[in-house]
């Protein structure tokens, strides 16, 4: 019996494995990874590794065991059919009869195209008949704070979110919620709407950046079309730029404000303030 984490060498997955290591013995953790070399540090600390790829169903044959608790971290290959990729993991979990299948999804309020893969996967998770937990993760602080270079270069936060607000939280916060579900009891067939304790607007984000950098950083609100053009101009493929600009349209409509309190409740502490994530990014 193991706690099994897919996408374990990804940014969220690494936080999950690190936080699991603080709670349970390493030999009770299995990290599912594509590239063994990327997980050498986990192996050195006694975490079990399983090598598998969502694109190769046979690599998941026999990977799970009855009684395992599995965290399926959604993939990032938008062009490869993520619902089909996730189905591979769900089928293998079903064949093994795992005790819990948790999935990192998106807020139920999100209507942007980005959510389509998540809604399809949620349906497949429920259809599996397995005990499940849906971790509907809101937006990460890091979506913004890890992309500060152009903001600092132009002294402008550019977005198409109007005056909309986002209740983002750090990846470490979402990982804490996942770890609480994987190591705790009573989370079967629950859907958690996860978001940060405080929602902020892009103008407030720009103001906080100004405060911390001592520069005059403005929020430049543009249309969804203009923002798509800016993103493609910066080198993003057209379809991905459209998806990201679509998220801003959702933010303007308030779809990325999650006010359930589920995240801080599961984590057992307040979520990380955006200002802290900015400070960390500016130091880094
Ligand atoms: N809530 C948000 O704001 C937000 C933002 C961005 C993304 N997301 C979603 O949340 C997920 C986790 O976030 P993150 O920051 O950890 O993303 P990330 O760093 O891009 O990690 C994605 C993980 O998925 C794994 N993966 C991708 N394709 C795979 C395949 N074919 N087979 C096996 N593993 C595969 C990657 O493996 P490798 O380590 O081998 O590359 C990586 O571990 C993302 O994949 C995405 O679905 C959410």
């Amino acid at each position: 019996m193991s706690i099994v984490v897919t996408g374990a060498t990804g940014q969220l997955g690494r936080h999950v494995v690190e936080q699991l290591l603080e709670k349970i013995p390493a030999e009770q953790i299995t990290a599912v990874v594509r590239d063994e070399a990327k997980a050498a540090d986990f192996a050195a600390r006694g975490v079990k590794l399983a090598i598998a790829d969502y694109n190769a169903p046979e690599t998941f044959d026999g990977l799970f065991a009855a009684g395992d608790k599995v965290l399926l971290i959604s993939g990032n290959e938008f062009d490869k059919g993520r619902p089909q990729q996730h189905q591979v993991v769900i089928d293998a979990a079903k064949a093994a009869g795992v005790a819990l299948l948790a999935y990192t999804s998106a807020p139920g309020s999100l209507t942007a195209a980005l959510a389509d893969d998540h809604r399809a996967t949620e349906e497949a998770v429920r259809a599996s008949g397995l005990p499940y937990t849906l971790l509907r993760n809101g937006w990460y602080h890091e979506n913004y704070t890890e992309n500060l270079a152009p903001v600092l270069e132009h002294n402008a936060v550019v977005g198409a979110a109007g005056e909309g607000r986002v209740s983002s939280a750090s990846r470490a916060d979402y990982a804490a919620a996942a770890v609480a579900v994987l190591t705790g009891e009573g989370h079967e067939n629950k859907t958690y709407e996860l978001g940060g304790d405080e929602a902020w607007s892009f103008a407030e984000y720009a103001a906080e950046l100004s405060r911390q950098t001592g520069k005059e950083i403005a929020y430049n609100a543009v249309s969804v079309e203009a923002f798509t053009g800016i993103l493609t101009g910066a080198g993003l493929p057209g379809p991905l730029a459209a998806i990201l600009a679509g998220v801003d349209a959702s933010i303007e409509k308030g779809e990325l404000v999650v006010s359930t309190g589920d995240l801080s409740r599961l984590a057992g502490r307040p979520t990380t303030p955006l200002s802290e994530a900015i400070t960390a990014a500016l130091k880094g």
Side-chain angles (χ1 to χ4, degrees):
M1 241 170 49
S2 212
I3 289 183
V4 188
V5 181
T6 76
T9 46
Q11 299 167 95
L12 178 66
R14 282 202 163 271
H15 281 290
V16 172
V17 173
E18 289 296 341
Q19 293 186 37
L20 281 172
L21 281 166
E22 290 168 14
K23 286 201 163 182
I24 58 172
E27 62 270 19
Q28 290 175 18
I29 307 168
T30 302
V32 182
V33 303
R34 291 191 283 194
D35 178 352
E36 193 169 356
K38 258 180 98 173
D41 56 326
F42 289 155
R45 291 155 78 188
V47 172
K48 287 191 236 154
L49 299 188
I51 315 303
D53 189 319
Y54 300 154
N55 297 314
E58 67 283 2
T59 59
F60 279 91
D61 285 349
L63 193 150
F64 303 123
D68 282 352
K69 289 183 172 180
V70 177
L71 175 64
L72 165 55
I73 293 187
S74 49
N76 58 3
E77 297 176 324
F78 292 90
D79 54 337
K80 293 213 175 131
R82 291 192 298 168
Q84 290 79 357
Q85 292 183 325
H86 298 158
Q87 188 71 55
V88 165
V89 181
I90 296 165
D91 288 345
K94 186 174 182 184
V98 305
L100 186 76
L101 176 60
Y103 172 66
T104 61
S105 189
S109 49
L110 185 63
T111 63
L114 184 74
D116 294 351
D117 289 351
H118 292 299
R119 296 288 94 84
T121 304
E122 287 190 355
E123 215 171 294
V125 166
R126 279 195 220 93
S128 73
L130 287 167
Y132 67 85
T133 309
L134 298 178
L135 295 159
R136 288 183 167 169
N137 289 349
W139 228 214
Y140 301 154
H141 289 331
E142 291 90 343
N143 295 338
Y144 302 98
T145 58
E146 284 175 354
N147 294 297
L148 282 180
V151 174
L152 298 177
E153 188 186 332
H154 301 291
N155 288 332
V157 171
V158 180
E163 292 174 16
R165 304 178 83 77
V166 190
S167 48
S168 62
S170 68
R171 283 196 187 91
D173 295 335
Y174 294 108
V179 167
V181 163
L182 292 167
T183 58
E185 300 294 330
H187 301 293
E188 290 83 4
N189 307 333
K190 297 259 168 72
T191 297
Y192 295 112
E193 297 284 348
L194 304 172
D197 296 337
E198 285 164 34
W200 48 270
S201 70
F202 282 34
E204 288 165 0
Y205 174 52
E208 180 61 21
L209 281 168
S210 302
R211 196 183 67 76
Q212 291 202 26
T213 59
K215 296 164 110 186
E216 192 76 12
I217 297 176
Y219 170 40
N220 181 8
V222 298
S223 69
V224 169
E225 294 70 30
F227 191 46
T228 309
I230 289 167
L231 293 175
T232 50
L236 256 66
L240 185 58
I243 284 176
L244 293 181
V247 169
D248 270 23
S250 279
I251 290 174
E252 180 159 30
K253 289 186 260 174
E255 293 177 6
L256 277 177
V257 174
V258 177
S259 44
T260 56
D262 283 351
L263 182 49
S264 49
R265 227 176 351 262
L266 280 172
R269 55 167 174 76
T271 59
T272 309
L274 177 68
S275 56
E276 256 180 48
I278 293 174
T279 308
L282 289 173
K283 269 193 200 142

